[in-house]
Every structure is written in C-alpha cells, then in structure tokens.
Amino acid sequence: MANLLPSSTRIGSTLAAQPRHPLAHLPTPLEPLTQLTKTLRQQGPAPELWIKRDDCTGLAGGGNKTRKLEYLIADAKAKGADTLMTFGAIQSNHARQTAAACAEAGLACELILTRQVPSRQEDYERTGNVLLDALCGAHLTLTEPGSAKNAAQQRQDQLEQSGQQVYRVPAGGSNEIGALGYVQCLLELWEQLLDKQLDCQYLVHASSSAGTQAGLLCGLLGLAGELSTEAAAQLPRLLGVNVYHPQEQTLAQRIESLCGAVAQRLGLELPTNWQSNILLDSSALGTGYGVPTEQTLQAIRLLAQTQGILLDPAYSGKAFAALLAQIKRGAFTNAERVVFIHTGGAMVLPAYVDTLTPP
Ligand SMILES: Cc1ncc(COP(=O)(O)O)c(C=O)c1O
C-alpha cells in the first residue's frame, strides 16, 4: 500500500482551504467486525469486514449529513444567512442533523418534510427524527408529495417579509459544497487504512441523493491521480447501494454530475472514462424508499446481535442487506477486505416499532 498521507496530497490541501464550520467528532472510528466475519465464515467464504462509524459523527445522533453540513453551514454564514431551509421525507436524517447543526451555529432552521413513505402508523409522524427536529428548535412544515416546492416558496416569502435571510440546502445536503464532506471522509479513511496497514478491496455504503457517493468517488479519483499506477490500482472500489431511485440510471447521472462539479470546485482533472467507477447495486430497494424488506430486517438484526451496532430500515439496513447478499452469492473470498461505511439512521428506529418488534 502506497504511503502517501492525505495531508501531503494536492487534494488534501485544496480541501483544507475550503471554508468549514466544525460540527463532527472526527475522525470517526474504523473498526473490525470480528464476530460478524466469524459468523459469516461458518456459512461460506466471506471477506474480512470492517466498519467506518459515520453513525458516530456526534451531532444529535450522528450520521453522514454532519460532514456535509460542516461545509454548508460555513457557506451559509459566509453569505450572511440567518435561516437554513432544507427538504426531506418525514423521517429524514438529513433534516434532523440540519436542525441540530443550526442550533449549534445559531441559525434558524426551516424543514419542509414530505409524506413520501406509504402507509405508516401514527408513530411515524411523531417519534424518531421528527421528534428530534422539534426538540432542536426547527420549524416544521409537513407536505404531501408534489407540494414541497410551493410550500417552501410560501414559507420563504413569509420569512423574508419578516426580515430573515434564507439559505436553501437541497435534500440530503447534496450539492458540490455538501459533498466536500465526503471527499474529506475518503481522505480520513485512507489515512486510517494506511495507519493500520490494511489493504481494502471495496467500500460499500447507502446512496440516495448522491452527495456521499460523489464525494467519496471524487476523493478516490483525486488520490488515484497522485499515486503511481501500481499504487492507484490498490485503491478500493466504491459500491453505492441504491436505496431510493426506482431507475438506477437517475442516481448514476446525479453522481456523475455532482462528482464533476466537486472536482471542478477542487480544481481536479478527472481521468477519461472515470464514469466507469460509478458502481451501483439496486437489488435491496424492494418495493421502494423507506419500506424495509425481510432481508433489511434480517441485516439489522444480524449486525445488532453480532456486534451491537444499530442500522436503520431505510438506508444503512438496506445497504448492509445488499452487502450480505453479495457475500452469500460468493462475490468475495476470505482473502479480501471490505469496509462498510455506516452512514447512520438509527434515530429513526422508534418510528418503525410496528415493523421491527419481533412477533
Ligand atoms: C442514514 C443515511 N444513509 C445514507 C444516506 C444517503 O446519502 P446520500 O443522500 O448522500 O446519498 C442518507 C441520506 O439521507 C441517510 O440518511
């Protein structure tokens, strides 16, 4: 493994020059999943599994949006905003972390939350992330599918009439500013792998609004461009598990355009045919966003019962289910190593009490 520390790379120094409002507990731990690996190897070949604990970023329950919000809050402040407005599903983890980030940064928080997950019980709109949004002082507007745009404009007009300056953050914090958080995560992870002298063949994570995957991919491509050809060939491949889009192509296109925009912001030249590195697995989506499959529930139980680590039914549980299915199909050997990037989500669990309670 090539010994080029992120701090001495061009991508590391360009990133360090980007305005950032510190919020997260970093670096998040990189831990072996020893018990789980042992359990899986009793059934057949399995890679050595590790986990990058981005569920432990620290802000009101943590998760992947905290890294993005470090850059978004810095930009909002630089632009003189006093109010952040963002969007998500009712149980959005992004909304919860935005509410918490605003509280810490002294900004007002406006959440436009859409009822986009079908037929959930009453608890779904009262517990989990929605409860925490309100606890952190956010103002909530609940809307039906198709009405978020109008509801947001109406609310923004109202706020501006009373003198507030609103900064809009897209759903998932996924633009070229938020995605910088995952360029930074990739460099942090690379440094941890070097430090522990671990080779790694794959990184796997949940993907929906594309910012996490675009940032990680941009970080990988940036690093690859600075390493020798041999060393670059040893970098892990990145696999995003689609947990949102009925058409996988929609997600692939978003990753492509966002990764391009992040690269431009960082002054990186991407290699020809870099798009072939956009790897997706949509096999765990089931009937749709936010609806866990039987495999999702099994994956959540397996990780909780072998490692005491909590996944969620909409994102990390589905991503982990896809990884387990690949292992079961024999996609990896015992000689390989895979890092699962845990993007968080467990704050939602109480809202799925009906689905998760054993019969
Ligand atoms: C827990 C969790 N994991 C993964 C993701 C996906 O990240 P991204 O939207 O950057 O693709 C989200 C997005 O909301 C999330 O809440």
Side-chain angles (χ1 to χ4, degrees), residues 64-65 68 93 174 206-212 315 343-345:
N64 63 339
K65 307 308 175 194
K68 298 181 183 183
N93 299 298
S174 285
S207 196
S208 72
S209 68
T212 302
Y315 297 94
T343 45

Side-chain angles (χ1 to χ4, degrees), residues 15-340:
L15 184 68
Q18 299 288 320
R20 179 171 169 201
H21 178 91
L23 290 166
H25 295 176
L26 301 179
T28 58
L30 174 65
E31 299 167 341
L33 292 173
T34 311
Q35 292 309 321
L36 177 61
T37 303
K38 216 163 120 187
T39 305
L40 293 173
R41 283 181 177 172
Q42 283 161 6
Q43 293 147 30
E48 185 179 289
L49 289 173
W50 286 65
I51 192 161
K52 172 74 172 152
R53 299 295 304 270
D54 266 23
D55 57 321
C56 297
T57 49
L59 189 71
N64 63 339
K65 307 308 175 194
T66 305
R67 287 186 193 267
K68 298 181 183 183
L69 284 158
E70 292 198 323
Y71 292 93
L72 290 161
I73 295 265
D75 191 50
K77 288 202 144 191
K79 295 199 162 104
D82 54 22
T83 304
L84 238 75
M85 174 179 278
T86 198
F87 305 83
I90 300 285
Q91 282 294 342
S92 163
N93 299 298
H94 163 64
R96 184 237 319 146
Q97 285 161 92
T98 305
C102 285
E104 193 280 344
L107 300 169
C109 182
E110 291 287 330
L111 302 176
I112 312 293
L113 303 178
T114 305
R115 294 189 171 94
Q116 61 193 81
V117 174
S119 66
R120 304 239 42 101
Q121 294 187 346
E122 199 191 322
D123 279 348
Y124 189 79
E125 292 198 6
R126 293 195 323 123
T127 66
N129 284 318
V130 208
L131 172 66
L132 303 179
D133 296 342
L135 203 59
C136 290
H139 178 274
L140 276 57
T141 304
L142 269 51
T143 67
E144 299 304 322
S147 332
K149 206 172 156 194
N150 284 345
Q153 197 52 56
Q154 244 180 34
R155 183 69 187 151
Q156 184 164 349
D157 291 346
Q158 244 176 32
L159 294 164
E160 286 174 350
Q161 273 160 22
S162 60
Q164 284 174 246
Q165 192 166 331
V166 178
Y167 178 95
R168 282 198 184 200
V169 171
S174 285
N175 59 17
E176 72 277 15
I177 299 171
L180 292 173
Y182 271 84
V183 178
Q184 192 260 335
C185 175
L186 190 280
L187 297 181
E188 180 183 299
L189 175 56
W190 174 248
E191 187 155 353
Q192 289 172 316
L193 291 168
L194 284 178
D195 188 50
K196 295 182 194 296
Q197 302 198 332
L198 296 174
D199 282 325
C200 167
Q201 282 66 45
Y202 269 93
L203 307 177
V204 179
H205 69 96
S207 196
S208 72
S209 68
T212 302
Q213 193 162 354
L216 290 168
L217 182 55
C218 198
L220 272 175
L221 295 170
L223 263 188
E226 297 188 52
L227 296 174
S228 67
T229 317
E230 282 159 355
Q234 287 176 33
L235 284 170
R237 309 195 80 198
L238 179 69
L239 176 66
V241 177
N242 172 21
V243 298
Y244 190 90
H245 301 273
Q247 303 293 328
E248 186 175 282
Q249 195 52 22
T250 315
L251 179 56
Q253 281 162 359
R254 284 200 191 170
I255 295 165
E256 179 174 352
S257 93
L258 197 46
C259 188
V262 178
Q264 200 173 19
R265 194 175 171 91
L266 292 175
L268 278 179
E269 209 173 305
L270 297 176
T272 36
N273 199 26
W274 65 271
Q275 295 87 342
S276 63
N277 294 291
I278 301 175
L279 305 180
L280 290 168
D281 177 343
S282 296
S283 65
L285 182 59
T287 56
Y289 170 69
V291 185
T293 64
E294 191 43 45
Q295 288 74 20
T296 319
L297 301 177
Q298 280 169 13
I300 293 173
R301 291 193 179 109
L302 182 63
L303 193 64
Q305 291 168 19
T306 53
Q307 299 285 162
I309 296 175
L310 301 173
L311 299 167
D312 80 284
Y315 297 94
S316 51
K318 282 192 174 170
F320 208 70
L323 173 58
L324 292 175
Q326 292 217 8
I327 294 172
K328 211 168 172 185
R329 282 200 300 274
F332 302 100
T333 66
N334 281 15
E336 289 176 293
R337 188 174 286 116
V338 172
V339 174
F340 179 73

